[in-house]
Amino acid sequence: MSRPTGARHADPSHADPSHAGTGTGTGTGTGQAGDSQAGGGRGGPTRATAGLRGTGYFFAFCLDALRGLFRRPFQVREFVQQAWFISSVSILPAALVAIPFGAVIALQLGSLVRQLGAQSFTGAASVLGVVREASPIVTALIIAGAGGSAICADLGARKIREELDAMEVLGIDPVHRLVAPRIVAAALVAALLNGLVSVVGVAGGYFFNVVMQGGTPGAYLASFQALGQLSDLAVGEVKAVLFGAVAALVASYHGMTAKGGPKGVGDAVNQSVVLTFMLLFALNFVITAVYFQLVPQRGM
Amino acid sequence: MGVEVRVEGLTKSFGGQPVWSDVSLTLPAGEISVLLGPSGTGKSVFLKTLVGLLKPDRGAIWIEGQDLPRLSERALYEVRKLFGVLFQDGALFGSMNIYDNVAFPLREHTRKSESEVRAVVHEKLEMVGLLGAERKLPGEISGGMRKRAGLARALVLDPRIILFDEPDSGLDPVRTAYLNQLIIDLNQQTGATFLIVTHDINTARTVPDNIGLIYHGHLAMFGPREMLLSSTEPVVRQFLNAQRIGPIGMAEEKDSDELRAEAEAGVELPPLPPIPLQLAPSDGRPRAAEQPPGRWCEEHGVTPPAGSFRGVQGSVWQPTEALR
Ligand SMILES: Nc1ncnc2c1ncn2[C@@H]1O[C@H](COP(=O)(O)OP(=O)(O)O)[C@@H](O)[C@H]1O
Ligand SMILES: [Mg+2]
């Protein structure tokens, strides 16, 4: 707690323009600028260091935010409001995206599996596809696109109206007060969304397989057990919680460093959504790869 | 009582571009100081640096023996309790109504009961003339009301230093006059140290005890009001008298060719206008740091412009000669 002022005050919300400027310039945000530097060293040294610095500010911000999570008192009211708000903007789109997603998987697999003469496994394949892959991806899309953009726009508007500065002058740390509850809210809602998408997706698959393609209900349900296991659901939920937290972190960071009037807020939202997509898809891959290494898979 | 703020050699830059450098000044305890400067010279940045929202590259800000840029985060939050800041557009929390906005600092930092909170909020809202608008959201009231509500919120913890960022921008002349009177009365009642950033020449001439001018990346001059108002230094003279002739051009600085042409054409600088009286508090008692008019000029052997220090109290541009 008693580290030098630098930690936050020099950093994300009032950072030097060098980093935010680079974020805008490269268009894809701070994280990417840093990555490209580490990878190839293209771009001039100033741009590269600025990109690195931007990444550094983001990680400093993440540390502050995580510290804020454990600071008392936890902002319950803000958390409830945000959880309510994020679910209100994300539940309907998630359900509406999940139905066609489940249906597409069922359609694709249905014809393939029939050609191979393994109709009895459609259910299993469908469940695997939906629960393991489609559901976290849909959750990521919705939580970044609907939840993250709303968080970023809200905090960005507060930043340019100087509300965040005013809050800090009044002795309230905006990271503790505003960001921490949003992270928890987004993680919780993402976990719930993931469950919702799984259920809706599997139901959609069932409907298409059984009603449209004339599969047998019994075989569809019975084959669930063949390939899937309970840990598939668990890893899906773990992914969702991480996705929610990362989306809220990136969105809050971009919102709190927005500058340059209303247009700056628009730019920040844009950047944050693009960056969140990239981070979440990469994260999804990493978690899946690790999961396959750690948990033995069932064979047919 | 107010607290002295001593700034030494302060420099701030963004991405290698200095906003201003080597700014040194002392805001005397309990006095009103005004900071002037063309748009974009970093006046708001200066205010934010003073409260530790921005970290300077170099320099010190001494408040009660503590150097603000070098404080730990926790100590900084403590020192900030000395400050009240009125941001440019009031910076009210958009999701709370006026009452909750003003009550916010009390609910956060004191153990006052809800009825005590109500009493304090009521008092401050009455002070700024906003009783009756408690239930309105910031989006539903005018810019002037937002500023006054922001002021009420800034006052609620009885700050010892109050910073105002352009309190009079976007206000009509009558509201500006009311606000200026309010500022002077507040200063007299609370004895806090005030720093006002403004563009309004009338405010700058009549409200403060001290004036500072930021120009071209540095503090051109800072000192007692009469010193700047009687100064013949070109930049100070041009800005304080709102003239076109002088070193400040439309684009921040005139280029040297233009200046030389101006000098060769022998443009006659208009004479300095008379120095007006300071605005007096409305209860008729003296200001916290009141000096007899003309005292500084007398002490420093400066002849004030003809017609200075006359006029009816509370009004500014009195055609005194004609009326008497
Ligand atoms: N957080 C920031 N990051 C980068 N540049 C900034 C920041 N805040 C202000 N500036 C720049 O500093 C300069 C001074 O701004 P400001 O203090 O708002 O001027 P004013 O004197 O009109 O209040 C401007 O050029 C502005 O673009
Ligand atoms: Mg300004």
mmCIF file of all heavy atoms in Angstrom, chain A residues 1 3 5 8-10 14 16-17 161-163 165-166 168-173 177, chain B residues 14-15 48 53 55 69 71 73-74 77 80 85 87-88 91-94 104 108-109 153:
data_model
loop_
_atom_site.group_PDB
_atom_site.id
_atom_site.type_symbol
_atom_site.label_atom_id
_atom_site.label_comp_id
_atom_site.label_asym_id
_atom_site.label_seq_id
_atom_site.Cartn_x
_atom_site.Cartn_y
_atom_site.Cartn_z
ATOM 1 N N MET A 1 0.827 -1.208 0.000
ATOM 2 C CA MET A 1 0.000 0.000 0.000
ATOM 3 C C MET A 1 0.861 1.258 0.000
ATOM 4 O O MET A 1 0.428 2.299 -0.400
ATOM 5 C CB MET A 1 -0.913 0.043 1.242
ATOM 6 C CG MET A 1 -1.951 -1.033 1.258
ATOM 7 S SD MET A 1 -3.060 -0.918 -0.131
ATOM 8 C CE MET A 1 -4.112 0.429 0.401
ATOM 9 N N ARG A 3 3.573 1.946 -1.617
ATOM 10 C CA ARG A 3 4.576 2.132 -2.656
ATOM 11 C C ARG A 3 4.451 3.540 -3.222
ATOM 12 O O ARG A 3 3.474 4.218 -2.982
ATOM 13 C CB ARG A 3 4.414 1.075 -3.741
ATOM 14 C CG ARG A 3 3.153 1.165 -4.472
ATOM 15 C CD ARG A 3 2.781 -0.221 -4.972
ATOM 16 N NE ARG A 3 1.410 -0.172 -5.379
ATOM 17 C CZ ARG A 3 1.043 -0.035 -6.623
ATOM 18 N NH1 ARG A 3 1.934 0.030 -7.575
ATOM 19 N NH2 ARG A 3 -0.215 0.026 -6.936
ATOM 20 N N THR A 5 3.989 6.991 -5.281
ATOM 21 C CA THR A 5 2.828 7.461 -6.011
ATOM 22 C C THR A 5 2.769 6.960 -7.428
ATOM 23 O O THR A 5 1.709 6.847 -7.996
ATOM 24 C CB THR A 5 2.839 8.989 -6.127
ATOM 25 O OG1 THR A 5 4.117 9.427 -5.812
ATOM 26 C CG2 THR A 5 1.772 9.604 -5.297
ATOM 27 N N ARG A 8 -0.085 4.323 -9.614
ATOM 28 C CA ARG A 8 -1.256 4.594 -10.448
ATOM 29 C C ARG A 8 -1.278 6.011 -10.964
ATOM 30 O O ARG A 8 -1.690 6.259 -12.069
ATOM 31 C CB ARG A 8 -2.540 4.306 -9.707
ATOM 32 C CG ARG A 8 -3.716 4.323 -10.657
ATOM 33 C CD ARG A 8 -4.855 3.584 -10.078
ATOM 34 N NE ARG A 8 -4.975 3.909 -8.687
ATOM 35 C CZ ARG A 8 -5.381 5.094 -8.263
ATOM 36 N NH1 ARG A 8 -5.742 6.015 -9.111
ATOM 37 N NH2 ARG A 8 -5.446 5.333 -6.998
ATOM 38 N N HIS A 9 -0.778 6.936 -10.156
ATOM 39 C CA HIS A 9 -1.004 8.312 -10.568
ATOM 40 C C HIS A 9 -0.202 8.667 -11.786
ATOM 41 O O HIS A 9 -0.607 9.479 -12.581
ATOM 42 C CB HIS A 9 -0.734 9.228 -9.398
ATOM 43 C CG HIS A 9 -1.681 8.868 -8.322
ATOM 44 N ND1 HIS A 9 -3.012 9.163 -8.434
ATOM 45 C CD2 HIS A 9 -1.529 8.117 -7.217
ATOM 46 C CE1 HIS A 9 -3.628 8.632 -7.403
ATOM 47 N NE2 HIS A 9 -2.764 7.998 -6.650
ATOM 48 N N ALA A 10 0.940 8.025 -11.901
ATOM 49 C CA ALA A 10 1.675 8.304 -13.122
ATOM 50 C C ALA A 10 1.059 7.510 -14.246
ATOM 51 O O ALA A 10 1.359 7.715 -15.387
ATOM 52 C CB ALA A 10 3.125 7.902 -12.952
ATOM 53 N N HIS A 14 -4.123 8.648 -16.034
ATOM 54 C CA HIS A 14 -3.626 9.964 -16.414
ATOM 55 C C HIS A 14 -2.306 9.817 -17.131
ATOM 56 O O HIS A 14 -1.411 10.616 -16.982
ATOM 57 C CB HIS A 14 -3.449 10.827 -15.181
ATOM 58 C CG HIS A 14 -4.640 10.760 -14.309
ATOM 59 N ND1 HIS A 14 -5.828 11.321 -14.683
ATOM 60 C CD2 HIS A 14 -4.845 10.152 -13.137
ATOM 61 C CE1 HIS A 14 -6.711 11.071 -13.742
ATOM 62 N NE2 HIS A 14 -6.150 10.367 -12.801
ATOM 63 N N ASP A 16 0.781 9.505 -19.692
ATOM 64 C CA ASP A 16 1.322 10.383 -20.719
ATOM 65 C C ASP A 16 0.666 10.042 -22.050
ATOM 66 O O ASP A 16 0.256 8.921 -22.271
ATOM 67 C CB ASP A 16 2.827 10.174 -20.839
ATOM 68 C CG ASP A 16 3.530 10.745 -19.627
ATOM 69 O OD1 ASP A 16 2.923 11.587 -18.947
ATOM 70 O OD2 ASP A 16 4.644 10.347 -19.368
ATOM 71 N N PRO A 17 0.593 11.028 -22.928
ATOM 72 C CA PRO A 17 -0.106 10.776 -24.174
ATOM 73 C C PRO A 17 0.660 9.775 -25.017
ATOM 74 O O PRO A 17 0.112 9.133 -25.888
ATOM 75 C CB PRO A 17 -0.122 12.130 -24.843
ATOM 76 C CG PRO A 17 1.068 12.822 -24.287
ATOM 77 C CD PRO A 17 1.214 12.327 -22.892
ATOM 78 N N ARG A 161 -15.869 13.751 -18.816
ATOM 79 C CA ARG A 161 -16.611 14.750 -18.035
ATOM 80 C C ARG A 161 -15.879 15.082 -16.744
ATOM 81 O O ARG A 161 -16.397 15.801 -15.901
ATOM 82 C CB ARG A 161 -18.004 14.231 -17.693
ATOM 83 C CG ARG A 161 -18.991 14.347 -18.828
ATOM 84 C CD ARG A 161 -20.406 14.359 -18.284
ATOM 85 N NE ARG A 161 -20.657 13.202 -17.437
ATOM 86 C CZ ARG A 161 -21.335 12.122 -17.818
ATOM 87 N NH1 ARG A 161 -21.829 12.076 -19.032
ATOM 88 N NH2 ARG A 161 -21.529 11.127 -17.009
ATOM 89 N N GLU A 162 -14.682 14.532 -16.556
ATOM 90 C CA GLU A 162 -13.828 14.779 -15.385
ATOM 91 C C GLU A 162 -14.431 14.208 -14.104
ATOM 92 O O GLU A 162 -14.001 14.532 -13.007
ATOM 93 C CB GLU A 162 -13.523 16.274 -15.213
ATOM 94 C CG GLU A 162 -12.717 16.834 -16.374
ATOM 95 C CD GLU A 162 -12.312 18.286 -16.168
ATOM 96 O OE1 GLU A 162 -13.189 19.075 -15.793
ATOM 97 O OE2 GLU A 162 -11.144 18.615 -16.395
ATOM 98 N N GLU A 163 -15.430 13.331 -14.243
ATOM 99 C CA GLU A 163 -16.019 12.726 -13.041
ATOM 100 C C GLU A 163 -14.999 11.894 -12.292
ATOM 101 O O GLU A 163 -14.998 11.851 -11.062
ATOM 102 C CB GLU A 163 -17.189 11.808 -13.430
ATOM 103 C CG GLU A 163 -18.489 12.516 -13.621
ATOM 104 C CD GLU A 163 -19.620 11.528 -13.856
ATOM 105 O OE1 GLU A 163 -19.601 10.458 -13.241
ATOM 106 O OE2 GLU A 163 -20.501 11.836 -14.663
ATOM 107 N N ASP A 165 -11.718 12.305 -12.251
ATOM 108 C CA ASP A 165 -10.797 13.197 -11.555
ATOM 109 C C ASP A 165 -11.443 13.714 -10.280
ATOM 110 O O ASP A 165 -10.818 13.761 -9.223
ATOM 111 C CB ASP A 165 -10.426 14.381 -12.458
ATOM 112 C CG ASP A 165 -9.512 13.961 -13.590
ATOM 113 O OD1 ASP A 165 -8.878 12.910 -13.462
ATOM 114 O OD2 ASP A 165 -9.445 14.676 -14.606
ATOM 115 N N ALA A 166 -12.718 14.114 -10.417
ATOM 116 C CA ALA A 166 -13.412 14.655 -9.252
ATOM 117 C C ALA A 166 -13.476 13.605 -8.148
ATOM 118 O O ALA A 166 -13.261 13.899 -6.973
ATOM 119 C CB ALA A 166 -14.817 15.100 -9.639
ATOM 120 N N GLU A 168 -11.416 11.181 -7.593
ATOM 121 C CA GLU A 168 -10.117 11.000 -6.970
ATOM 122 C C GLU A 168 -9.799 12.145 -6.024
ATOM 123 O O GLU A 168 -9.244 11.940 -4.950
ATOM 124 C CB GLU A 168 -9.039 10.898 -8.055
ATOM 125 C CG GLU A 168 -8.136 9.714 -7.850
ATOM 126 C CD GLU A 168 -7.199 9.531 -9.008
ATOM 127 O OE1 GLU A 168 -7.633 9.026 -10.057
ATOM 128 O OE2 GLU A 168 -6.035 9.917 -8.860
ATOM 129 N N VAL A 169 -10.167 13.371 -6.446
ATOM 130 C CA VAL A 169 -9.921 14.507 -5.574
ATOM 131 C C VAL A 169 -10.753 14.389 -4.302
ATOM 132 O O VAL A 169 -10.327 14.814 -3.233
ATOM 133 C CB VAL A 169 -10.240 15.822 -6.312
ATOM 134 C CG1 VAL A 169 -10.191 16.984 -5.363
ATOM 135 C CG2 VAL A 169 -9.256 16.026 -7.433
ATOM 136 N N LEU A 170 -11.936 13.788 -4.410
ATOM 137 C CA LEU A 170 -12.761 13.599 -3.222
ATOM 138 C C LEU A 170 -12.280 12.408 -2.399
ATOM 139 O O LEU A 170 -12.951 11.981 -1.468
ATOM 140 C CB LEU A 170 -14.223 13.399 -3.622
ATOM 141 C CG LEU A 170 -14.889 14.644 -4.212
ATOM 142 C CD1 LEU A 170 -16.265 14.326 -4.724
ATOM 143 C CD2 LEU A 170 -14.951 15.755 -3.180
ATOM 144 N N GLY A 171 -11.125 11.866 -2.789
ATOM 145 C CA GLY A 171 -10.513 10.833 -1.961
ATOM 146 C C GLY A 171 -11.027 9.431 -2.222
ATOM 147 O O GLY A 171 -10.833 8.539 -1.406
ATOM 148 N N ILE A 172 -11.701 9.226 -3.341
ATOM 149 C CA ILE A 172 -12.206 7.893 -3.673
ATOM 150 C C ILE A 172 -11.394 7.370 -4.842
ATOM 151 O O ILE A 172 -11.246 8.056 -5.850
ATOM 152 C CB ILE A 172 -13.688 7.945 -4.097
ATOM 153 C CG1 ILE A 172 -14.515 8.692 -3.066
ATOM 154 C CG2 ILE A 172 -14.218 6.544 -4.334
ATOM 155 C CD1 ILE A 172 -14.598 7.999 -1.758
ATOM 156 N N ASP A 173 -10.893 6.139 -4.701
ATOM 157 C CA ASP A 173 -10.109 5.548 -5.768
ATOM 158 C C ASP A 173 -11.062 4.933 -6.795
ATOM 159 O O ASP A 173 -11.765 3.979 -6.488
ATOM 160 C CB ASP A 173 -9.205 4.474 -5.143
ATOM 161 C CG ASP A 173 -8.366 3.779 -6.190
ATOM 162 O OD1 ASP A 173 -8.497 4.141 -7.375
ATOM 163 O OD2 ASP A 173 -7.588 2.882 -5.822
ATOM 164 N N ARG A 177 -13.538 1.721 -6.588
ATOM 165 C CA ARG A 177 -14.956 2.020 -6.531
ATOM 166 C C ARG A 177 -15.707 1.527 -7.774
ATOM 167 O O ARG A 177 -16.813 1.018 -7.681
ATOM 168 C CB ARG A 177 -15.105 3.544 -6.363
ATOM 169 C CG ARG A 177 -16.477 4.105 -6.615
ATOM 170 C CD ARG A 177 -17.480 3.498 -5.695
ATOM 171 N NE ARG A 177 -17.165 3.847 -4.331
ATOM 172 C CZ ARG A 177 -17.970 4.551 -3.552
ATOM 173 N NH1 ARG A 177 -19.112 4.971 -4.007
ATOM 174 N NH2 ARG A 177 -17.626 4.819 -2.314
ATOM 175 N N PHE B 14 4.052 16.348 -21.799
ATOM 176 C CA PHE B 14 3.324 15.183 -22.292
ATOM 177 C C PHE B 14 4.061 14.628 -23.491
ATOM 178 O O PHE B 14 4.194 15.314 -24.494
ATOM 179 C CB PHE B 14 1.900 15.557 -22.701
ATOM 180 C CG PHE B 14 0.983 15.811 -21.544
ATOM 181 C CD1 PHE B 14 0.426 17.057 -21.342
ATOM 182 C CD2 PHE B 14 0.680 14.797 -20.657
ATOM 183 C CE1 PHE B 14 -0.425 17.284 -20.279
ATOM 184 C CE2 PHE B 14 -0.170 15.015 -19.589
ATOM 185 C CZ PHE B 14 -0.716 16.262 -19.401
ATOM 186 N N GLY B 15 4.547 13.424 -23.380
ATOM 187 C CA GLY B 15 5.223 12.798 -24.503
ATOM 188 C C GLY B 15 6.372 13.634 -25.038
ATOM 189 O O GLY B 15 6.534 13.788 -26.242
ATOM 190 N N LYS B 48 -4.528 20.341 -12.124
ATOM 191 C CA LYS B 48 -4.525 18.899 -11.861
ATOM 192 C C LYS B 48 -3.205 18.459 -11.256
ATOM 193 O O LYS B 48 -3.155 17.506 -10.478
ATOM 194 C CB LYS B 48 -4.798 18.130 -13.156
ATOM 195 C CG LYS B 48 -6.256 18.261 -13.568
ATOM 196 C CD LYS B 48 -6.598 17.461 -14.793
ATOM 197 C CE LYS B 48 -8.046 17.727 -15.165
ATOM 198 N NZ LYS B 48 -8.396 17.152 -16.457
ATOM 199 N N LEU B 53 -3.265 14.884 -9.445
ATOM 200 C CA LEU B 53 -3.892 14.027 -10.454
ATOM 201 C C LEU B 53 -2.918 13.765 -11.591
ATOM 202 O O LEU B 53 -3.006 12.758 -12.276
ATOM 203 C CB LEU B 53 -5.151 14.691 -11.017
ATOM 204 C CG LEU B 53 -6.357 14.727 -10.088
ATOM 205 C CD1 LEU B 53 -7.461 15.586 -10.667
ATOM 206 C CD2 LEU B 53 -6.868 13.321 -9.841
ATOM 207 N N LYS B 55 1.335 13.887 -12.521
ATOM 208 C CA LYS B 55 2.634 13.901 -11.854
ATOM 209 C C LYS B 55 3.583 14.774 -12.655
ATOM 210 O O LYS B 55 3.756 14.553 -13.854
ATOM 211 C CB LYS B 55 3.168 12.475 -11.802
ATOM 212 C CG LYS B 55 4.092 12.208 -10.644
ATOM 213 C CD LYS B 55 4.373 10.715 -10.564
ATOM 214 C CE LYS B 55 5.654 10.443 -9.828
ATOM 215 N NZ LYS B 55 5.672 10.963 -8.457
ATOM 216 N N PRO B 69 4.265 15.836 -4.972
ATOM 217 C CA PRO B 69 4.574 14.821 -5.998
ATOM 218 C C PRO B 69 5.344 13.632 -5.452
ATOM 219 O O PRO B 69 5.431 12.609 -6.114
ATOM 220 C CB PRO B 69 5.425 15.596 -7.017
ATOM 221 C CG PRO B 69 5.167 17.019 -6.758
ATOM 222 C CD PRO B 69 4.836 17.134 -5.304
ATOM 223 N N LEU B 71 4.742 12.122 -2.479
ATOM 224 C CA LEU B 71 4.016 11.417 -1.428
ATOM 225 C C LEU B 71 3.618 10.024 -1.891
ATOM 226 O O LEU B 71 3.441 9.778 -3.079
ATOM 227 C CB LEU B 71 2.756 12.196 -1.055
ATOM 228 C CG LEU B 71 2.976 13.516 -0.323
ATOM 229 C CD1 LEU B 71 1.641 14.167 -0.023
ATOM 230 C CD2 LEU B 71 3.746 13.283 0.953
ATOM 231 N N GLU B 73 0.897 6.949 -2.239
ATOM 232 C CA GLU B 73 -0.487 7.038 -2.693
ATOM 233 C C GLU B 73 -1.434 7.334 -1.528
ATOM 234 O O GLU B 73 -2.318 8.170 -1.615
ATOM 235 C CB GLU B 73 -0.876 5.728 -3.375
ATOM 236 C CG GLU B 73 -2.134 5.848 -4.194
ATOM 237 C CD GLU B 73 -2.380 4.553 -4.955
ATOM 238 O OE1 GLU B 73 -1.400 3.914 -5.368
ATOM 239 O OE2 GLU B 73 -3.542 4.190 -5.109
ATOM 240 N N ARG B 74 -1.187 6.656 -0.420
ATOM 241 C CA ARG B 74 -2.081 6.829 0.728
ATOM 242 C C ARG B 74 -1.960 8.237 1.298
ATOM 243 O O ARG B 74 -2.961 8.900 1.578
ATOM 244 C CB ARG B 74 -1.730 5.793 1.792
ATOM 245 C CG ARG B 74 -2.491 6.008 3.081
ATOM 246 C CD ARG B 74 -2.281 4.869 4.034
ATOM 247 N NE ARG B 74 -2.988 3.688 3.591
ATOM 248 C CZ ARG B 74 -3.096 2.581 4.332
ATOM 249 N NH1 ARG B 74 -2.532 2.542 5.508
ATOM 250 N NH2 ARG B 74 -3.750 1.543 3.886
ATOM 251 N N TYR B 77 -3.797 10.717 -0.810
ATOM 252 C CA TYR B 77 -5.243 10.775 -0.570
ATOM 253 C C TYR B 77 -5.542 11.575 0.695
ATOM 254 O O TYR B 77 -6.548 12.274 0.782
ATOM 255 C CB TYR B 77 -5.832 9.359 -0.484
ATOM 256 C CG TYR B 77 -6.235 8.807 -1.830
ATOM 257 C CD1 TYR B 77 -5.493 7.816 -2.464
ATOM 258 C CD2 TYR B 77 -7.364 9.305 -2.489
ATOM 259 C CE1 TYR B 77 -5.853 7.334 -3.709
ATOM 260 C CE2 TYR B 77 -7.724 8.819 -3.729
ATOM 261 C CZ TYR B 77 -6.976 7.832 -4.337
ATOM 262 O OH TYR B 77 -7.339 7.361 -5.573
ATOM 263 N N ARG B 80 -5.112 15.298 -0.109
ATOM 264 C CA ARG B 80 -6.197 15.768 -0.974
ATOM 265 C C ARG B 80 -7.404 16.222 -0.177
ATOM 266 O O ARG B 80 -8.218 16.983 -0.666
ATOM 267 C CB ARG B 80 -6.632 14.634 -1.902
ATOM 268 C CG ARG B 80 -5.662 14.411 -3.018
ATOM 269 C CD ARG B 80 -6.406 14.141 -4.303
ATOM 270 N NE ARG B 80 -5.471 13.778 -5.339
ATOM 271 C CZ ARG B 80 -5.279 12.534 -5.736
ATOM 272 N NH1 ARG B 80 -5.977 11.557 -5.199
ATOM 273 N NH2 ARG B 80 -4.416 12.277 -6.685
ATOM 274 N N VAL B 85 -12.056 21.094 -5.264
ATOM 275 C CA VAL B 85 -11.801 21.482 -6.649
ATOM 276 C C VAL B 85 -13.123 21.641 -7.387
ATOM 277 O O VAL B 85 -13.980 20.760 -7.325
ATOM 278 C CB VAL B 85 -10.936 20.431 -7.374
ATOM 279 C CG1 VAL B 85 -10.662 20.879 -8.803
ATOM 280 C CG2 VAL B 85 -9.640 20.198 -6.639
ATOM 281 N N PHE B 87 -14.332 21.638 -10.958
ATOM 282 C CA PHE B 87 -13.876 21.355 -12.317
ATOM 283 C C PHE B 87 -14.660 22.179 -13.321
ATOM 284 O O PHE B 87 -15.706 22.751 -13.000
ATOM 285 C CB PHE B 87 -14.010 19.865 -12.626
ATOM 286 C CG PHE B 87 -12.964 19.047 -11.949
ATOM 287 C CD1 PHE B 87 -13.205 18.457 -10.731
ATOM 288 C CD2 PHE B 87 -11.726 18.896 -12.522
ATOM 289 C CE1 PHE B 87 -12.233 17.713 -10.098
ATOM 290 C CE2 PHE B 87 -10.737 18.151 -11.895
ATOM 291 C CZ PHE B 87 -10.995 17.565 -10.679
ATOM 292 N N GLN B 88 -14.129 22.166 -14.552
ATOM 293 C CA GLN B 88 -14.627 23.113 -15.549
ATOM 294 C C GLN B 88 -16.143 23.035 -15.749
ATOM 295 O O GLN B 88 -16.817 24.038 -15.777
ATOM 296 C CB GLN B 88 -13.898 22.881 -16.874
ATOM 297 C CG GLN B 88 -13.872 24.118 -17.738
ATOM 298 C CD GLN B 88 -12.643 24.139 -18.644
ATOM 299 O OE1 GLN B 88 -11.641 23.501 -18.375
ATOM 300 N NE2 GLN B 88 -12.716 24.882 -19.720
ATOM 301 N N ALA B 91 -18.233 18.637 -13.170
ATOM 302 C CA ALA B 91 -17.843 17.221 -12.987
ATOM 303 C C ALA B 91 -18.746 16.510 -11.988
ATOM 304 O O ALA B 91 -18.283 15.756 -11.139
ATOM 305 C CB ALA B 91 -16.375 17.100 -12.569
ATOM 306 N N LEU B 92 -20.044 16.770 -12.068
ATOM 307 C CA LEU B 92 -20.984 16.066 -11.187
ATOM 308 C C LEU B 92 -21.096 14.618 -11.635
ATOM 309 O O LEU B 92 -20.898 14.311 -12.808
ATOM 310 C CB LEU B 92 -22.357 16.735 -11.258
ATOM 311 C CG LEU B 92 -22.387 18.191 -10.817
ATOM 312 C CD1 LEU B 92 -23.747 18.791 -11.070
ATOM 313 C CD2 LEU B 92 -22.015 18.311 -9.356
ATOM 314 N N PHE B 93 -21.432 13.737 -10.689
ATOM 315 C CA PHE B 93 -21.645 12.333 -11.045
ATOM 316 C C PHE B 93 -22.996 12.220 -11.733
ATOM 317 O O PHE B 93 -24.040 12.479 -11.129
ATOM 318 C CB PHE B 93 -21.573 11.449 -9.809
ATOM 319 C CG PHE B 93 -20.278 11.603 -9.065
ATOM 320 C CD1 PHE B 93 -20.249 11.831 -7.709
ATOM 321 C CD2 PHE B 93 -19.070 11.551 -9.753
ATOM 322 C CE1 PHE B 93 -19.049 11.988 -7.034
ATOM 323 C CE2 PHE B 93 -17.870 11.703 -9.093
ATOM 324 C CZ PHE B 93 -17.862 11.926 -7.738
ATOM 325 N N GLY B 94 -22.954 11.830 -13.009
ATOM 326 C CA GLY B 94 -24.153 11.878 -13.835
ATOM 327 C C GLY B 94 -25.279 10.974 -13.371
ATOM 328 O O GLY B 94 -26.443 11.214 -13.678
ATOM 329 N N PHE B 104 -22.274 13.139 -1.316
ATOM 330 C CA PHE B 104 -21.309 12.058 -1.565
ATOM 331 C C PHE B 104 -20.061 12.120 -0.670
ATOM 332 O O PHE B 104 -19.739 11.139 0.013
ATOM 333 C CB PHE B 104 -20.946 12.064 -3.054
ATOM 334 C CG PHE B 104 -19.973 11.013 -3.475
ATOM 335 C CD1 PHE B 104 -20.400 9.742 -3.790
ATOM 336 C CD2 PHE B 104 -18.619 11.294 -3.564
ATOM 337 C CE1 PHE B 104 -19.502 8.769 -4.183
ATOM 338 C CE2 PHE B 104 -17.714 10.333 -3.960
ATOM 339 C CZ PHE B 104 -18.165 9.072 -4.268
ATOM 340 N N GLU B 108 -18.978 9.442 2.261
ATOM 341 C CA GLU B 108 -17.761 8.645 2.109
ATOM 342 C C GLU B 108 -16.797 8.844 3.259
ATOM 343 O O GLU B 108 -16.137 7.915 3.678
ATOM 344 C CB GLU B 108 -17.048 8.999 0.799
ATOM 345 C CG GLU B 108 -17.776 8.562 -0.448
ATOM 346 C CD GLU B 108 -17.870 7.045 -0.549
ATOM 347 O OE1 GLU B 108 -16.981 6.353 -0.011
ATOM 348 O OE2 GLU B 108 -18.849 6.567 -1.148
ATOM 349 N N HIS B 109 -16.669 10.083 3.717
ATOM 350 C CA HIS B 109 -15.548 10.400 4.602
ATOM 351 C C HIS B 109 -15.934 10.755 6.018
ATOM 352 O O HIS B 109 -15.068 10.990 6.842
ATOM 353 C CB HIS B 109 -14.746 11.562 4.015
ATOM 354 C CG HIS B 109 -13.998 11.188 2.783
ATOM 355 N ND1 HIS B 109 -13.097 10.161 2.768
ATOM 356 C CD2 HIS B 109 -14.039 11.670 1.535
ATOM 357 C CE1 HIS B 109 -12.608 10.040 1.547
ATOM 358 N NE2 HIS B 109 -13.180 10.940 0.782
ATOM 359 N N ARG B 153 -20.484 20.862 -3.782
ATOM 360 C CA ARG B 153 -19.860 19.589 -3.451
ATOM 361 C C ARG B 153 -18.410 19.793 -3.011
ATOM 362 O O ARG B 153 -17.915 19.124 -2.099
ATOM 363 C CB ARG B 153 -19.914 18.640 -4.652
ATOM 364 C CG ARG B 153 -19.462 17.240 -4.322
ATOM 365 C CD ARG B 153 -19.490 16.344 -5.527
ATOM 366 N NE ARG B 153 -18.560 16.798 -6.544
ATOM 367 C CZ ARG B 153 -18.470 16.281 -7.757
ATOM 368 N NH1 ARG B 153 -19.271 15.294 -8.106
ATOM 369 N NH2 ARG B 153 -17.601 16.741 -8.622
#
